[in-house]
Amino acid sequence: MIPISVVTVDDEAQQLVIEAMRTGRLAQGPMVARLERDFAELIGVRHAVAVSSGTIALVAAMQALHIRPGQEVITSPFTFVATLNAILEAGATARFADIRADDFCIDPNAVAGAVTDRTAVLMPVHLYGQPADMTSLAPLAERHGLHIVEDAAQSHGARIGDRAVGTFGLGCFSLYGTKNISTGEGGLVTTDDDELADRLRLLRNQGMRERYMYEVAGHNYRLTDLQAALAIPQIARYPEQVARRRHHASYLSMGLSDVPGLVVPHELPGRTHVWHQYTVLVTEEASMPRDQVVAELNANGVGCGIYYPRIVSDYACYRDDPRVIPADTPVAAKVATQCLSLPVHQHLLESDLDRIIEMVRKTLGA
Ligand SMILES: *Cc1c(COP(=O)(O)O)cnc(C)c1O
């Protein structure tokens, strides 16, 4: 079986975890500080604040911005449910804007139509490793006086021109087990704003600047030094790993772009895709429906996934929630029925890629 994701912990990471254990500093300490420095440097931003998950990164970002109940956050309906859950956890209301089919990210035109006098935050999701169209979205947010909170959980190091995602507003990254950089569980918030970084650090640690000197009502959002140690060597090697993912993506596209009924993904001009996922669309012209393609591929040793099978607002648990404002998002709804992600990770061999291409072609009769 060629798995859709592989997690390895190399010798260097093991050594660093042992080092952390030997010092006895298990909770947040010097390893977390080192991770924050290294990650800030990778992104090209003044501050990176490590927290316990990507979901918490989003919640903490909205708390740092003092988002209040009744205020609205415009986001993509085609995302992992954490995006929506974080908005609700922060006490805000979610309003959806449709996506574009070429980048799977929020459509600036749809955002413009979703702004109300209650909108406080624009939360684009940089899905699968490709940045949302920040060249249009950033000025749009500016024009309407909106904060930008980027859900960059899947897009560490992705760029628009030479500017990394996570530098357009508060950047929220995940270090969950299957993400491009992983500590099992963990997250980071990035910002160039000294004051917001300071508030995030306070919120993370029960509102304390010094022990028992409480300045705000905070929480425990801390990451442990054991977790941070796992990510430090991954950051050093990250550019090389992204290069491998990029190579795999172009190899797959070369082998698959002529298959009838299959739309391969593209890195859009001016954007740098970090290929967290390689997601194709199985259209009506395909010889077989998407779900059957998935079953065939899985049965034939090609691990694949559906990210995501439905738009997030389309679940019973949100349907009657007045803080989840449904919207007509036909592109997102359609993409959810057609998307299929194939393995693209850095551990694939050329023989794996050949096998993936062969099995997809065979399954779709090409
Ligand atoms: C993984 C993910 C999150 C949540 O991150 P966790 O670290 O799992 O809490 C949020 N948004 C998106 C788009 C994600 O893929």
Side-chain angles (χ1 to χ4, degrees):
M1 187 77 178
I2 303 171
I4 184 93
S5 76
V6 174
V7 180
T8 57
V9 178
D10 70 6
D11 290 346
E12 208 182 333
Q14 291 180 29
Q15 280 308 317
L16 269 187
V17 174
I18 289 169
E19 199 181 308
M21 289 195 288
R22 290 202 173 125
T23 63
R25 293 291 301 268
L26 304 183
Q28 182 185 303
M31 287 291 179
V32 168
R34 197 167 144 192
L35 167 66
E36 292 180 336
R37 268 197 312 275
D38 291 356
F39 194 77
E41 196 181 327
L42 177 77
I43 302 302
V45 71
R46 281 173 65 79
H47 306 279
V49 180
V51 294
S52 49
S53 74
T55 311
I56 285 300
L58 292 164
V59 172
M62 285 181 281
Q63 290 174 335
L65 293 169
H66 300 297
I67 300 307
R68 298 181 308 278
Q71 292 190 309
E72 294 180 4
V73 179
I74 297 176
T75 194
S76 167
F78 189 61
T79 181
F80 181 53
V81 71
T83 314
L84 172 56
N85 284 338
I87 293 167
L88 297 177
E89 175 71 21
T93 293
R95 188 181 282 276
F96 299 100
D98 208 353
I99 61 167
R100 283 167 37 174
D102 59 352
D103 64 3
F104 304 115
C105 296
I106 203 162
D107 180 344
N109 293 321
V111 171
V115 175
T116 72
D117 55 7
R118 293 174 299 282
T119 312
V121 174
L122 171 59
M123 186 181 287
V125 181
H126 307 299
L127 201 70
Y128 304 144
Q130 172 131 268
D133 182 6
M134 297 311 295
T135 308
S136 305
L137 292 169
L140 183 68
E142 169 101 48
R143 221 161 34 245
H144 292 280
L146 311 181
H147 298 290
I148 296 176
V149 176
E150 302 172 68
D151 184 338
Q154 303 185 359
S155 297
H156 319 69
R159 294 191 307 275
I160 306 263
D162 55 11
R163 196 164 162 195
V165 301
T167 66
F168 292 87
L170 281 166
C172 301
F173 295 85
S174 169
L175 300 172
Y176 177 67
T178 57
K179 301 288 159 79
N180 281 16
I181 298 173
S182 169
T183 56
E185 296 283 2
L188 289 146
V189 187
T190 53
T191 179
D192 277 320
D193 186 312
D194 298 347
E195 236 169 89
L196 282 174
D198 183 61
R199 208 174 307 148
L200 285 162
R201 292 180 198 283
L202 286 176
L203 287 167
R204 166 176 71 178
N205 193 29
Q206 308 289 5
M208 291 191 282
R209 192 176 306 281
E210 288 168 57
R211 190 175 291 200
Y212 313 133
M213 302 292 282
Y214 316 120
E215 293 189 17
V216 296
H219 208 289
N220 174 1
Y221 295 153
R222 296 181 303 263
L223 189 73
T224 67
D225 259 26
L226 294 180
Q227 291 167 303
L230 283 166
I232 290 165
Q234 294 175 50
I235 292 175
R237 283 195 318 273
Y238 190 60
E240 176 201 320
Q241 312 245 322
V242 170
R244 288 183 63 84
R245 286 175 179 266
R246 292 175 66 79
H247 172 69
H248 296 167
S250 65
Y251 195 99
L252 288 171
S253 289
M254 252 181 324
L256 294 173
S257 58
D258 65 328
V259 176
L262 199 73
V263 179
V264 298
H266 291 284
E267 179 180 64
L268 291 178
R271 308 190 210 179
T272 306
H273 198 316
V274 295
W275 298 102
H276 174 60
Q277 297 292 351
Y278 180 91
T279 303
V280 298
L281 296 179
V282 180
T283 69
E284 295 91 341
E285 286 83 57
S287 60
M288 187 186 281
R290 189 268 315 267
D291 290 353
Q292 211 175 321
V293 176
V294 172
E296 279 293 314
L297 291 176
N298 281 325
N300 285 290
V302 175
C304 51
I306 299 175
Y307 314 111
Y308 297 89
R310 280 155 77 177
I311 58 174
V312 284
S313 46
D314 184 28
Y315 288 84
C317 56
Y318 300 114
R319 213 161 284 144
D320 299 323
D321 191 329
R323 294 186 303 145
V324 180
I325 300 172
D328 192 25
T329 56
V331 180
K334 181 157 186 196
V335 164
T337 67
Q338 298 185 334
C339 63
L340 186 171
S341 301
L342 297 167
V344 73
H345 55 79
Q346 65 265 24
H347 303 288
L348 296 170
L349 306 173
E350 197 157 297
S351 56
D352 295 326
L353 294 163
D354 287 335
R355 185 136 147 265
I356 295 165
I357 291 166
E358 186 198 330
M359 286 316 307
V360 172
R361 295 190 74 90
K362 207 158 128 192
T363 303
L364 288 171

